Amino acid sequence: MNEPKDSMDAIQDHSDNGSNVEENQKKLKYPKSVFFIISNEFCERFSFYGMRTVLTLYLVNQLNYESHSATSIYHAFMMLAYFFPLFGAVLADSMLGKFRTILYLSIVYAIGQFLLSLSAAPPVGLPSREFSLVGLLLIAFGTGGIKPCVSAFGGDQFVLPQQERYMSTFFSLFYFSINFGSLISTFLTPVLRSDVTCFGLNSCYSLAFLVPAILMTLSIVIFALGKPLYRIRQPTGNIMLVVSKCICHAISKKSKSKGEKREHWLDYADDEYDQPLISDIKAALQVIKLFIPIPIFWALYDQQGSRWTLQAAQMDGEMGSFLLQPDQMLVVNPLLVMAFIPLFETCIYPVLSKVGISTPLRKLSLGGLLAALSFVISAFVDLQLEGTQPILPSAGLTQVRIFNTLNCPVPMTIGNATTELQNLDMWVNQHIEVKGTQTLSYKADFTGCKTAGYYNPTLNSVVYGNMALEEAAAISYVITPNGLTYHYKDSVSKSRDGLPRVRGLFSVDPPGSSVTVELIRAGIPLTFNWTTTDPQVSELNDVKHDTYDIVVNGEKVKSDVPLKSGGVYTVVGSVTASGKHVNVVVVTQSNSLHILWMLPQYIVITVGEVMFSVTGLEFAFTQSPDSMKSLMQAAWQLTVAIGNLIVIIISEGAWFDRQAYEFFLFAGLMFLDIIIFSIMAKFYKYVDVPEDDDLTEEISMTDKRGTENKSYKDDEK
């Protein structure tokens, strides 16, 4: 394949005039091929982040994993997605080359996306959990395999050091495209998940996964179209195997040598390996050594999609008529990145350079400190959030609730307490001391209900009895026309996905009457049905944050009843010959701490990300030898995998009862880690970027032959 014309015109056009090499170098044009790479990256990142945004809630809500298990699965997926870059780097550097590695593994990636979408569609009939995990594995292999190749392939399009400034701009544009794709998909896929109904479900995860699958297919098409413009380098051999053998040989020979001194331990391998390879390995190891503390940053950063999403699910996202979904909060990160990148390039970095923060490693250190600060902020938010959580049953205590489904007040004595339980209302005591199982006596005076027109003669008397209690449980008793005869174990905790929880308790008199209760939102009914006097508790699973009309047997009884995120509600009603009566009792208050209180932690970690990730990508590329650039990119991605593994270990360890303490732990680890990193950075010697060999040959040949219009470069394989 010929060299793209736009990258060689400056050299060829001026060679006729006998201009010097320096002038030719200055006039190299920006390679157009990178715009195909940037567009491809936009689509691929749209696909990845769109899928990832709704993944945690998909695992919790549709696959019914516990929050703890969902967090572990999420970070296991992320760990694999950043572990497979090692395989991608080997394929690119030793077998297929970057272009074909990206193309082939992108196809695997797209297959995984479509499989995940199909597994989320019940009519297809696939075992949801098993095929979802297979789809995630294929996605992890695909996205991981291309990760070290795309940015390095983009870097290959530039002539160094002549276009070093252009390449720096490319990495900023590259990262901008990542976050632009992330921005759109992070906002869109939660809308597809929550606002679209499909297959009889109140959500549509299959569509939320299908759109990213389509974008992944589009990314493949865009990438293939740019092939005529790419500078494609041949793979240089199985560099990972060669490097491993060279290191092992050096160690083995050093251990066997007696008294022989070498300047560097790798020099012991010079009997079998040439000096340029040994020098490249030395340079690579110098960079990789600095990667050792990096994983802690990613352990913090990637919790935006797990712990921070679950934190957002416990908060109030109502903003006027708009409801910000918990997973939509992730949109803040790419939005801020897109704003911060040009701001940093034009304003922040020039200011920081004046105070001594100008080198990549100093920027990385500052970025890490900001990540630690973000988790301190998130811990304080979680401490405030604890005050909005319901009191849950605990050891030595029990909770008792009594619901009155009658349209008349019932005076009661419960143990030593007296109360008048109002029409269609609730009495609660959350702190009754109980060991094992006990009983609690009560007296209920129903004589005031005889004028309410109830059929059952029980309601003309005073009733005495005992309620069975159980330690560490919430027990709810229900007053019906038969008295205090029905009870059930209650759940007062908020839903894991942040949606309202709604139950229904209705009494029917006379016996045998049927009741249909509908909660209607935007014309869509959610229905309770009863056909007996005994009001078996029934719970709806499809209630969303909104206002509802309540319709009983076709008659609207209440209008515009607000059911808010995180709230636990019981619809208490009575249907008699004299009328239909309904009240909505709040068992657990809805989320009250607003979701925008998370903004500071998002802002701080995003500033840290811009300084850390953009700088790290460029550092890994420029400081690595030409023969190992994809391998070094893979090593950088591997730090992300290890970071997610750290999250899994700490999460599975369950060391803390309070989430805030775990956030403080991560912040402390990051502070300690960045101190170690800063000390290591002081001893690092930066490598000067060598001139591009291809360009040197091209300039040399052009200079020697005058007007001959010929370019020399690696042929496409």
Side-chain angles (χ1 to χ4, degrees), residues 646-676:
I646 292 170
V647 177
I648 295 172
I649 293 171
I650 293 177
S651 176
E652 290 293 329
W655 298 334
F656 304 105
D657 295 331
R658 301 167 70 179
Q659 183 60 51
Y661 291 168
E662 186 176 293
F663 286 156
F664 279 126
L665 172 64
F666 278 109
L669 289 175
M670 189 71 243
F671 276 123
L672 179 62
D673 183 74
I674 216 64
I675 292 172
I676 296 172

Side-chain angles (χ1 to χ4, degrees), residues 21-174:
V21 172
E22 183 179 356
E23 183 179 353
N24 290 333
Q25 293 173 348
K26 289 181 179 178
K27 301 215 172 182
L28 287 170
K29 293 182 179 179
Y30 204 96
K32 294 177 181 177
S33 57
V34 300
F35 295 105
F36 286 91
I37 298 171
I38 289 171
S39 299
N40 159 265
E41 186 69 7
F42 164 80
C43 293
E44 189 274 326
R45 291 291 86 184
F46 182 109
S47 178
F48 180 79
Y49 283 106
M51 177 277 302
R52 192 190 77 165
T53 296
V54 299
L55 179 58
T56 297
L57 295 184
Y58 171 66
L59 294 170
V60 170
N61 299 336
Q62 190 155 321
L63 298 188
N64 297 316
Y65 284 104
E66 293 296 326
S67 299
H68 181 71
S69 299
T71 298
S72 295
I73 293 172
Y74 175 89
H75 285 284
F77 164 73
M78 293 296 294
M79 179 185 69
L80 291 175
Y82 288 93
F83 173 75
F84 284 128
L86 286 175
F87 294 92
V90 171
L91 285 174
D93 284 346
S94 63
M95 297 174 63
L96 300 177
K98 299 183 187 75
F99 175 80
R100 288 195 289 173
T101 299
I102 295 169
L103 183 63
Y104 297 161
L105 293 186
S106 291
I107 295 172
V108 174
Y109 189 167
I111 292 171
Q113 288 279 30
F114 280 109
L115 183 60
L116 182 61
S117 177
L118 290 173
S119 67
V124 177
L126 297 176
S128 295
R129 284 192 172 186
E130 292 80 357
F131 276 84
S132 291
L133 295 179
V134 171
L136 289 174
L137 181 61
L138 292 177
I139 293 169
F141 183 66
T143 189
I146 68 176
K147 275 182 188 298
C149 304
V150 178
S151 58
F153 188 62
D156 285 347
Q157 308 309 305
F158 295 91
V159 177
L160 296 179
Q162 292 80 9
Q163 292 185 308
E164 186 174 359
R165 181 176 177 80
Y166 283 165
M167 191 182 72
S168 180
T169 305
F170 161 74
F171 278 112
S172 291
L173 287 172
F174 185 79

Side-chain angles (χ1 to χ4, degrees), residues 472-487:
I475 308 296
S476 289
Y477 275 79
V478 185
I479 295 176
T480 74
N482 291 328
L484 202 66
T485 58
Y486 174 65
H487 70 278

Side-chain angles (χ1 to χ4, degrees), residues 558-574:
K558 277 186 173 294
S559 300
D560 299 328
V561 177
L563 301 177
K564 297 188 174 184
S565 298
V568 180
Y569 304 90
T570 300
V571 180
V572 182
S574 171

Side-chain angles (χ1 to χ4, degrees), residues 491-563:
S491 175
V492 300
S493 60
K494 297 184 176 186
S495 64
R496 293 176 295 176
D497 56 8
L499 294 176
R501 299 179 63 187
V502 180
R503 306 185 186 94
L505 286 169
F506 269 71
S507 64
V508 184
D509 194 73
S513 301
S514 63
V515 177
T516 299
V517 181
E518 296 175 307
L519 274 64
I520 299 179
R521 163 188 173 267
I524 302 174
L526 303 172
T527 306
F528 292 111
N529 287 289
W530 287 275
T531 57
T532 176
T533 302
D534 198 8
Q536 299 289 326
V537 66
S538 180
E539 182 164 350
L540 295 175
N541 297 317
D542 300 327
V543 183
K544 297 185 177 182
H545 177 111
D546 212 331
T547 57
Y548 290 79
D549 295 335
I550 300 179
V551 176
V552 180
N553 287 347
E555 178 184 340
K556 184 186 291 187
V557 180
K558 277 186 173 294
S559 300
D560 299 328
V561 177
L563 301 177

Side-chain angles (χ1 to χ4, degrees), residues 185-421:
S185 63
T186 302
F187 181 82
L188 178 62
T189 51
V191 173
L192 299 176
R193 168 190 68 79
S194 62
D195 291 0
V196 178
T197 58
C198 59
F199 309 120
L201 302 175
N202 199 33
S203 58
C204 198
Y205 284 97
S206 59
L207 179 61
F209 292 138
L210 178 61
V211 172
I214 293 172
L215 263 292
M216 188 60 222
T217 305
L218 180 60
S219 78
I220 298 171
V221 174
I222 292 173
F223 183 72
L225 288 175
K227 184 178 180 182
L229 295 177
Y230 297 142
R231 298 180 72 208
I232 300 179
R233 297 178 183 272
Q234 288 186 1
T236 56
N238 192 334
I239 190 65
M240 181 176 290
L241 180 61
V242 172
V243 169
S244 299
K245 286 182 175 180
C246 180
I247 291 174
C248 290
H249 180 69
I251 294 173
S252 174
K253 190 174 179 186
K254 183 179 186 300
S255 64
K256 294 176 182 178
S257 64
K258 297 181 179 179
E260 185 181 0
K261 298 291 184 180
R262 294 295 185 93
E263 185 178 348
H264 192 280
W265 61 271
L266 270 171
D267 292 331
Y268 286 94
D270 60 5
D271 61 328
E272 290 191 15
Y273 297 90
D274 57 31
Q275 194 59 46
L277 173 66
I278 293 174
S279 298
D280 282 355
I281 296 175
K282 289 178 184 178
L285 290 178
Q286 283 295 105
V287 178
I288 290 175
K289 185 167 64 176
L290 283 174
F291 287 177
I292 294 173
I294 298 295
I296 297 294
F297 174 86
W298 300 114
L300 276 63
Y301 176 81
D302 277 338
Q303 289 187 67
Q304 292 178 79
S306 57
R307 292 298 195 194
W308 282 15
T309 295
L310 295 174
Q311 185 182 56
Q314 303 173 65
M315 303 177 79
D316 177 19
E318 192 170 5
M319 303 171 68
S321 59
F322 176 73
L323 180 68
L324 186 66
Q325 300 292 335
D327 41 359
Q328 272 183 320
M329 194 63 189
L330 290 170
V331 80
V332 173
N333 176 259
L335 184 64
L336 290 175
V337 167
M338 291 174 62
F340 286 162
I341 285 179
L343 181 65
F344 270 71
E345 291 291 335
T346 58
C347 301
I348 305 298
Y349 284 147
V351 172
L352 289 177
S353 65
K354 292 181 179 180
V355 295
I357 303 176
S358 56
T359 65
L361 295 180
R362 290 181 181 180
K363 293 175 184 177
L364 286 167
S365 299
L366 182 56
L369 288 174
L370 290 171
L373 178 60
S374 74
F375 263 66
V376 172
I377 297 171
S378 68
F380 280 111
V381 169
D382 217 77
L383 290 174
Q384 293 300 312
L385 198 56
E386 288 179 0
T388 70
Q389 299 303 303
I391 299 172
L392 300 178
S394 57
L397 298 172
T398 191
Q399 297 182 7
V400 175
R401 289 171 178 81
I402 302 176
F403 293 94
N404 181 11
T405 66
L406 305 179
N407 191 36
C408 57
V410 179
M412 295 190 70
T413 301
I414 306 162
N416 297 321
T418 59
T419 185
E420 183 172 77
L421 186 49

